[in-house]
Amino acid sequence: FINEFAGANTLKWVIMAYGVLFGGLSEKRAIGYGLLPTVLFGIRGLLSGSTEAVGCDMTAQWIDSALTVFTSHAALTDADYSTTLIKAWCVYSGLASGLCRLAPEVALDKWGFPEKGPLTVFFIKSMSQFALAATVLTGLLISGVDSHKAVGYSLVPLLASVLQFVLSGDLKAQIGDNVVKAYPWIAILAAAVFTLAI
């Protein structure tokens, strides 16, 4: 569940970034198409029972899926209320993702996860960094920030998260001496942030 969620959010970010940088999409259309992977992830999890099987609160999952579907539709159709709805979705997603990153045990309780071991906490923190990046990109695009700068700034949560994992020892506790594999990612993210955002 957690890996699929991270994958859907990464794909959301990629679709939005590619759409505004290379695809010739307007900000709203890029956001609308970008939300589709999380729409599909949510609906698949609800209909297959996989979301319920991991212990998630189903009412919250239905509300999350409905809000995301409604926001995606509004963005793709350029509805009169779409800008306001997208901004509201950003607040909701930012609070939910921020809770997962900053207080993962509380987020796991809210989601209804029965297990809160160190690996689950690590994964929930990892998962949230991708959701935060996509949320920041969405918020910046809908606020009219230049698309190159928006993509660069949206990578800041990923860079900060990876740095925090390395500096705190969280990453080494989970993967041992393989922590050196994070160094190229730090360099890539830093280069992207500084070349696009500055």
Side-chain angles (χ1 to χ4, degrees), residues 85-96:
L85 182 58
I86 292 167
K87 288 179 179 181
W89 179 89
C90 286
V91 170
Y92 159 74
S93 182
L95 290 172

Side-chain angles (χ1 to χ4, degrees), residues 99-152:
L99 182 65
C100 289
R101 184 62 181 95
L102 300 174
E105 292 87 355
V106 174
L108 288 166
D109 279 339
K110 297 294 180 194
W111 276 15
F113 266 74
E115 181 196 341
K116 294 169 199 64
L119 187 58
T120 304
V121 169
F122 176 77
F123 274 130
I124 200 87
K125 284 180 169 180
S126 298
M127 171 202 78
S128 65
Q129 67 190 9
F130 298 104
L132 282 170
T135 301
V136 169
L137 181 56
T138 304
L140 293 172
L141 289 175
I142 201 62
S143 297
V145 173
D146 172 73
S147 57
H148 289 87
K149 288 187 180 298
V151 170

Side-chain angles (χ1 to χ4, degrees), residues 27 59 77 139:
E27 287 78 7
T59 303
T77 60

Side-chain angles (χ1 to χ4, degrees), residues 26-59:
S26 70
E27 287 78 7
K28 284 185 185 178
R29 282 191 110 36
I31 290 166
Y33 286 127
L35 289 172
L36 291 178
T38 52
V39 165
L40 295 175
F41 165 77
I43 291 171
R44 184 183 84 49
L46 291 169
L47 296 179
S48 72
S50 63
T51 304
E52 189 172 20
V54 295
C56 287
D57 178 295
M58 294 311 294
T59 303

